[in-house]
Amino acid sequence: MNPGDKLFGRFLARPSQSSEGRPPVEALQGIGLLLVLDEQGRILASSGQLRHALAQLPPSAEPCDLVDYVVPGSTQALEGRPADWSGQVLDLQLRGLAGKTLYLRGGVQRQGEQWLLHLLDIGDLVQQRQQTLNREQCQVLAAQVSEQLRLCTMSRLQEVLHDALGDLARCWRIPCVGLALLDEQEQGWMIQCCYHAHDAPRLWHDGQTLGSGLDSLGGNTVLRLNQIHGLNEHPRLQGIFAHREGLLVPYRDDHGVAAWLLCGDYPVQQHAPGLLERDWLMLAAALAGPLLGRLREYRNHLQMERLDALQGLLGAGWWELLADTAEVQLASQLAASLDLPEGHTRLGVEAWLELMHPADRAELASRLQELKLGKPLLLCVRLHQSEPGVATRWYRLQGQALGRGAQQRLVGFMLDISDIKNQQQQAAAAHARLDNLIASSPAVIYVQRYVEGALLPSFFSASLQPLLGWTLEDCNDGQWVQWIHPDDRDLYFQRCRQLLREGSVHSRYRLQDRQGNFHWVLDEARLLRNDLGLPVEAVGLWLDVTEATLAAEQVRQSEERYRILVEDSPAMICRYRPDLTLTFGNRPLAAYLECAAQDLPGSNLGQWLSAEQREGFERRLKLLSPEFPVSTAEISLQLPGREHAWWVWSDRGVFDEQGQLLEIQAVGRDNTEVRRSQQQLTQSAKMATLGEMATGLAHEINQPLNVMRMAIVNVLKRLGNGDIQIDYLTDKLNRIDAQVQRAARVVDHMRVFGRRSEVEQRPFNPAQAIEGTLSLMAEGMRGKGLDLRISELGFEVQVMGFVDQLEQVLINLLVNARDALLEKREAQNDFKPWIAIHGQRDEQRVRLWVEDNGGGIDPRLLERIFEPFFTTKPVGVGTGLGLSVSYGIIENMGGRLSVSNGQEGARFCIELPIVPADQITR
Ligand code: ADP
């Protein structure tokens, strides 16, 4: 029951108690409203305080009806007439001034013809009730919302918030409601979530940033925005609220204003007149409090996760020294990385120290004591590892004291730095090795500082001392330039300028050591610049190259000596590539080739060789090998301005590791004169042979002449007798013709034979020489009664040389045989002299034998008969040149002439190399 009901209960009871007395109109007049009504319920008169609060009805002649004063939609509808209302408690809501509603309660009482309506103002009671209702509703909603926000899963948080805003909006008829939070970086405000009624303007959206428009508000009270105030006072809010009415409810926590509940397009007075400021604050708190809690909790959770992951990855973690229990609390990841049993994150300080390497324990213990006194801790420690061979694990241990006195906490961090430490150790070891190496090497590493354009020594590696005996102190005050050889100083200064200009330099100069000896050093320097490109220092290396330099000098000198030797040598010396391109030729060679020595490199030796010579030359080079790198031959050249030159030419091949011919070094000697005299000798020998053969030849020609003469005599005789037949004459004339041809052939061949030999050798068939020889000799021999036993060769081969020269050899052998045979026949009458010629071949060679039965050569003379001028014949008969010239000819053809004694006489053998078929060009 309402407190007002009691009051009215009493009030309504009173008339019956005082029905016989005057109604307590006066008593009521002061506090309420007294209306005098007629039977129809029209107001005849009014009195009481509230009279002035009633709305003025338009004046009319007729008194107005009470019903017209009743606010439409009132809790209690007024129907019928006053007589019907008698005995009832009337709750009336009458129209007041300025659109206000008057909440009145009372009843009617008859007074004669009229009715008195007594009404008391219960506005306060109604409002109080309304507020109580509102508050209850608010509390229920707030409790429900905050519980939902607290309990929902994180993924549904936004959805739940949205629903909560929806509930709020529906409950208090708010068209647009949003919750603004500071964004994560706390840069400005942002709509975390908003709800719009379906017919409401879309003022905001989720995630919308609001800038700093809300910052200017105090955040202590609820702010109403309407046309009268607020909107104009806060121009920055106009944008946010689209110039509409609104309500802003702050939420404060220990960080200050942390959220705003925004109600847009909201005439709050109209829609929720009963809600008090504290109700709004409660609603905002119910929404924002749990939400912020959840969000902060979530952020913390993420942070923790990140931290955990980081600690796990780094093998690191925090620790806290619990001074009162002498224990250490470790982050779980750290405990795991220290190989503590799972879940074991707290251990005694002593046990913790036990985990460290014995070498580091005492230091750590002492530092922990210092930490308690407030001195920050920073120490690198190793873990104690009982297993040998396991890489050392290093930790960086940092700690600091937080707070003071009883509140002091000792916290720190441990970080696995094994990687860095091990690398550091490796680098240090490498460094030490390098230092060692440099110190024991003939190289000196130096650093020169750049000071205003000058380069001043600032560091030398320890190897300076053994090399030069100087130290860094010795080069103060520019002393160091004195070390440089006076002749090399210009070079050194030039090197400095070049280094500064180009950034690196490579030079070689002499430095004096403490004993006064000079060393050649190779200087490699590089300029280092700073970020701005300005020179900072030069780092360089000196390499002692004294020995190498002196050796090079010796080589140069010896090369010079050899060069002079080569240049001044009477022999022709040259180097050429396998394609016969000259790379070097000395002066004598250039003189022969009629050009300057410097023009020789690049020219081709082949240009002075005939096609055959060149072919033979190249063939000979192909036979050179690393095992047999040398070959000698006589080559014939066509030199400018000369007919032919003959050089004895020795080649030596130079090969690479794979046995590939790289170049040829050759020495040549001009053999033209020797060759010429040889040719002349051959020629004279040939002439001598011809002379020898003169008698034979006379016989050779005489024979056909005799035959012809006989034929002519016979013909003439027949002609004289007149007895001549045409057949007979024809026969004789044919015979004469055959003899003329025979004589002509002999003469012809003699002419050919008498000619000088060709300059170059040609391939020919040796049978041709045998035939030529016989054409000159056969008749003469037979005429002397010698039996010529000539065997057909029966094979075709080619040998290289001159056919007339082989003929000459054969003639010499035949003439010698003839002489021996005739001599023997003189002594022995029944002697039957014969000469045999026969031949034989194998793969490489052809052999021709000339044998006779003249008794042979005295074995003691066998070795000497090829000597020039050796003869057993009487003076004027033998020249002693025949066999020696023949020997030379056969040797020149690459063959060999030899002799032995057969059963009946001498047996000469001409052995000649066969030219392979594929090498015969014509
Ligand atoms: P020459 O015939 O002018 O003496 P050669 O050099 O031709 O000069 O011969 C040298 C010597 O070899 C001859 O004097 C001779 O004693 C000897 N001789 C050469 N051929 C024969 C032969 N077939 N039988 C015996 N002796 C020979």
Side-chain angles (χ1 to χ4, degrees):
M1 192 182 191
N2 251 323
D5 293 345
K6 273 188 197 161
L7 178 70
F8 280 98
R10 279 203 308 277
F11 172 69
L12 288 173
R14 240 180 243 166
S16 59
Q17 284 171 3
S18 58
S19 54
E20 63 273 20
R22 274 164 54 93
V25 173
E26 291 74 20
L28 289 168
Q29 265 177 356
I31 51 165
L33 177 67
L34 183 67
L35 297 176
V36 183
L37 308 174
D38 61 12
E39 284 292 344
Q40 275 70 43
R42 284 178 299 207
I43 301 170
L44 300 174
S46 63
S47 66
Q49 273 176 350
L50 286 175
R51 189 164 46 109
H52 307 294
L54 268 183
Q56 294 262 285
L57 287 174
S60 62
E62 289 290 305
C64 64
D65 257 338
L66 175 63
V67 178
D68 294 338
Y69 269 94
V70 176
V71 174
S74 290
T75 339
Q76 188 164 14
L78 204 58
E79 279 174 12
R81 301 188 171 196
D84 304 325
W85 308 335
S86 174
Q88 288 181 38
V89 177
L90 298 177
D91 269 342
L92 297 181
Q93 290 166 26
L94 300 187
R95 277 190 281 172
L97 281 174
K100 281 190 177 170
T101 303
L102 296 178
Y103 293 89
L104 301 167
R105 175 174 288 180
V108 285
Q109 226 177 337
R110 175 169 286 281
Q111 191 164 48
E113 292 298 301
Q114 296 166 341
W115 291 87
L116 286 180
L117 172 62
H118 305 273
L119 293 168
L120 280 177
D121 182 4
I122 57 160
D124 282 351
L125 283 178
V126 171
Q127 200 181 353
Q128 219 171 358
R129 189 155 158 252
Q130 191 62 39
Q131 279 171 358
T132 311
L133 273 175
N134 284 346
R135 157 141 307 167
E136 276 170 9
Q137 204 172 351
C138 262
Q139 276 170 346
V140 170
L141 187 67
Q144 179 190 331
V145 159
S146 75
E147 184 171 291
Q148 280 170 349
L149 285 172
R150 261 200 318 274
L151 297 183
C152 71
T153 59
M154 202 57 211
S155 57
R156 284 199 65 241
L157 187 66
Q158 184 73 5
E159 199 184 320
V160 170
L161 177 62
H162 190 264
D163 291 349
L165 289 176
D167 291 346
L168 183 70
R170 277 188 291 278
C171 189
W172 306 111
R173 296 165 58 205
I174 314 171
C176 310
V177 58
L179 189 67
L181 303 181
L182 275 175
D183 67 14
E184 272 197 29
Q185 282 78 42
E186 309 222 341
Q187 298 289 314
W189 295 91
M190 190 189 80
I191 299 283
Q192 174 74 22
C193 185
C194 59
Y195 170 86
H196 295 90
H198 70 275
D199 53 349
R202 307 269 132 186
L203 289 188
W204 311 301
H205 59 83
D206 288 0
Q208 178 184 344
T209 53
L210 301 177
S212 53
L214 295 171
D215 285 350
S216 57
L217 309 178
N220 289 320
T221 52
V222 173
L223 182 71
R224 285 161 206 255
L225 293 180
N226 53 40
Q227 297 307 330
I228 303 156
H229 59 266
L231 268 178
N232 297 330
E233 282 171 37
H234 300 284
R236 294 214 282 191
L237 297 180
Q238 292 181 14
I240 297 175
F241 283 84
H243 303 272
R244 290 164 198 266
E245 276 188 63
L247 181 75
L248 292 97
V249 188
Y251 168 71
R252 296 182 76 94
D253 61 7
D254 46 355
H255 299 279
V257 184
W260 284 95
L261 181 69
L262 308 180
C263 304
D265 196 20
Y266 187 44
V268 60
Q269 196 50 48
Q270 199 178 322
H271 288 183
L275 275 195
L276 297 180
E277 173 160 338
R278 60 180 184 193
D279 299 326
W280 283 112
L281 289 174
M282 181 176 70
L283 282 172
L287 280 166
L291 177 71
L292 284 169
R294 291 296 301 271
L295 290 176
R296 278 181 195 139
E297 179 196 352
Y298 182 62
R299 271 203 288 274
N300 277 346
H301 172 73
L302 290 182
Q303 191 70 16
M304 284 301 289
E305 260 183 3
R306 280 197 285 269
L307 198 67
D308 280 1
L310 188 73
Q311 295 190 126
L313 286 174
L314 289 176
W318 54 263
W319 54 264
E320 180 162 1
L321 190 66
L322 310 170
D324 44 350
T325 57
E327 278 183 324
V328 184
Q329 174 78 43
L330 302 174
S332 57
Q333 292 87 349
L334 180 60
S337 86
L338 293 176
D339 300 330
L340 294 181
E342 206 176 321
H344 210 88
T345 56
R346 190 184 272 227
L347 72 173
V349 175
E350 284 307 315
W352 190 43
L353 287 172
E354 282 293 308
L355 293 175
M356 308 301 161
H357 195 280
D360 298 327
R361 267 178 219 158
E363 193 175 1
L364 178 57
S366 128
R367 291 295 183 85
L368 287 175
Q369 289 307 322
E370 287 177 351
L371 178 64
K372 286 178 189 162
L373 302 176
K375 188 175 170 194
L377 167 74
L378 174 58
L379 188 66
C380 292
V381 294
R382 283 156 287 191
L383 288 196
H384 183 220
Q385 272 156 335
S386 44
E387 285 173 44
V390 180
T392 313
R393 281 172 62 196
W394 281 91
Y395 275 88
R396 182 189 163 99
L397 222 145
Q398 261 177 300
Q400 69 184 98
L402 303 177
R404 276 161 186 242
Q407 268 72 50
Q408 193 188 47
R409 291 175 66 197
L410 304 173
V411 292
F413 201 75
M414 263 177 97
L415 176 66
D416 187 343
I417 50 162
S418 308
D419 284 357
I420 303 167
K421 268 287 178 186
N422 290 333
Q423 271 169 15
Q424 257 177 10
Q425 280 184 336
Q426 278 169 9
H431 209 272
R433 280 199 294 275
L434 198 67
D435 276 351
N436 234 338
L437 200 70
I438 294 170
S440 58
S441 80
V444 175
I445 291 177
Y446 64 80
V447 178
Q448 294 180 320
R449 212 155 22 88
Y450 174 87
V451 185
E452 295 176 359
L455 290 169
L456 306 177
S458 63
F459 167 82
F460 288 109
S461 64
S463 44
L464 179 70
Q465 183 69 25
L467 181 71
L468 297 178
W470 303 111
T471 62
L472 184 61
E473 286 71 50
D474 295 324
C475 51
N476 286 337
D477 310 327
Q479 276 294 312
W480 118 264
V481 176
Q482 303 299 318
W483 303 357
I484 305 168
H485 194 288
D487 294 350
D488 295 345
R489 281 181 201 158
D490 280 350
L491 186 92
Y492 174 74
F493 293 126
Q494 202 181 324
R495 162 249 182 230
C496 291
R497 284 191 293 274
Q498 192 184 345
L499 177 60
L500 291 177
R501 206 171 49 240
E502 294 170 14
S504 69
V505 75
H506 172 96
S507 58
R508 180 195 284 257
Y509 44 85
R510 279 162 290 180
L511 290 179
Q512 193 172 31
D513 65 16
R514 205 179 261 281
Q515 282 73 43
N517 303 318
F518 281 100
H519 295 252
W520 276 101
V521 294
L522 194 69
D523 180 9
E524 293 271 1
R526 223 184 162 77
L527 190 69
L528 305 183
R529 296 175 186 274
N530 63 13
D531 298 347
L532 301 173
L534 299 173
V536 177
E537 59 184 23
V539 181
L541 184 108
W542 282 334
L543 204 62
D544 187 354
V545 290
T546 312
E547 278 178 26
T549 308
L550 294 180
E553 178 59 18
Q554 277 170 2
V555 168
R556 199 189 60 73
Q557 284 175 2
S558 108
E559 259 180 10
E560 181 61 15
R561 280 198 295 276
Y562 280 110
R563 195 185 61 75
I564 293 168
L565 211 63
V566 165
E567 284 298 328
D568 296 354
S569 151
M572 295 172 280
I573 297 176
C574 68
R575 288 176 17 225
Y576 58 92
R577 289 201 285 268
D579 65 354
L580 308 192
T581 309
L582 283 167
T583 51
F584 166 81
N586 69 350
R587 273 201 290 268
L589 179 70
Y592 274 106
L593 299 177
E594 295 191 349
C595 60
Q598 63 268 24
D599 297 338
L600 282 179
S603 43
N604 196 295
L605 265 185
Q607 65 182 288
W608 293 286
L609 298 172
S610 69
E612 287 88 25
Q613 280 283 337
R614 181 172 183 154
E615 203 176 300
F617 197 94
E618 285 174 341
R619 200 177 313 130
R620 206 165 44 79
L621 290 185
K622 283 205 188 98
L623 298 176
L624 295 182
S625 66
E627 291 77 34
F628 303 102
V630 181
S631 131
T632 303
E634 190 173 36
I635 59 170
S636 148
L637 294 99
Q638 290 152 347
L639 294 185
R642 297 201 204 183
E643 207 182 323
H644 267 92
W646 292 92
W647 291 352
V648 174
W649 192 253
S650 287
D651 287 311
R652 192 191 196 290
V654 179
F655 296 88
D656 65 9
E657 284 170 5
Q658 284 76 43
Q660 189 75 29
L661 182 61
L662 294 180
E663 69 160 22
I664 300 100
Q665 298 175 346
V667 182
R669 169 171 59 79
D670 185 8
N671 205 35
T672 315
E673 285 309 312
V674 177
R675 207 9 125 104
R676 242 182 229 145
S677 34
Q678 242 175 25
Q679 270 177 344
Q680 256 156 20
L681 191 66
T682 319
Q683 190 59 23
S684 6
K686 213 192 249 178
M687 287 305 149
T689 312
L690 271 178
E692 285 278 314
M693 288 170 11
T695 25
L697 279 172
H699 183 81
E700 207 71 36
I701 294 173
N702 227 2
Q703 184 66 21
L705 286 178
N706 279 336
V707 175
M708 283 190 283
R709 204 173 142 243
M710 285 290 291
I712 291 166
V713 168
N714 288 340
V715 170
L716 286 175
K717 213 187 264 173
R718 291 268 181 126
L719 274 176
N721 297 343
D723 167 30
I724 189 147
Q725 290 165 352
I726 199 77
D727 284 353
Y728 179 78
L729 190 59
T730 310
D731 179 46
K732 290 297 168 194
L733 284 177
N734 277 339
R735 183 171 295 182
I736 292 169
D737 182 45
Q739 294 307 313
V740 167
Q741 278 184 28
R742 182 174 155 199
R745 246 198 333 266
V746 171
V747 172
D748 214 30
H749 193 76
M750 259 171 61
R751 222 179 48 234
V752 172
F753 181 71
R755 242 188 248 152
R756 273 171 179 275
S757 301
E758 298 264 342
V759 175
E760 287 189 27
Q761 298 187 332
R762 299 241 155 100
F764 67 92
N765 187 347
Q768 206 183 325
I770 298 175
E771 202 179 302
T773 305
L774 293 177
S775 76
L776 292 176
M777 304 284 290
E779 284 305 322
M781 293 284 190
R782 290 197 185 104
K784 289 215 155 50
L786 306 182
D787 179 9
L788 280 185
R789 303 177 179 174
I790 313 297
S791 312
E792 281 282 315
L793 284 187
F795 52 82
E796 281 253 339
V797 286
Q798 299 273 305
V799 296
M800 194 62 124
F802 308 100
V803 66
D804 59 311
Q805 290 189 0
L806 182 58
E807 241 171 63
Q808 192 186 345
V809 173
L810 288 168
I811 291 169
N812 279 339
L813 297 181
L814 288 182
V815 166
N816 279 345
R818 182 199 66 194
D819 290 349
L821 291 171
L822 293 183
E823 194 182 335
K824 189 173 173 186
R825 199 172 57 183
E826 255 174 46
Q828 193 182 332
N829 270 341
D830 59 341
F831 178 55
K832 294 222 172 355
W834 53 260
I835 301 176
I837 301 180
H838 54 95
Q840 198 191 23
R841 66 163 289 190
D842 62 16
E843 279 295 298
Q844 275 112 35
R845 290 166 189 280
V846 56
R847 292 188 185 83
L848 304 177
W849 279 279
V850 179
E851 293 184 57
D852 60 61
N853 61 345
I857 302 158
D858 183 343
R860 287 166 302 175
L861 303 180
L862 267 180
E863 284 181 11
R864 295 188 55 204
I865 58 163
F866 293 113
E867 286 175 14
F869 308 113
F870 175 84
T871 176
T872 56
K873 294 173 188 171
V875 182
V877 177
T879 58
L881 285 176
L883 286 181
S884 97
V885 168
S886 300
Y887 188 89
I889 289 171
I890 298 302
E891 196 177 44
N892 203 26
M893 288 172 75
R896 215 164 71 90
L897 177 62
S898 59
V899 64
S900 59
N901 280 322
Q903 282 191 338
E904 295 179 61
R907 191 178 143 112
F908 283 87
C909 176
I910 302 169
E911 192 179 290
L912 291 170
I914 297 173
V915 183
D918 58 354
Q919 287 179 21
I920 300 168
T921 47
R922 348 170 200 164

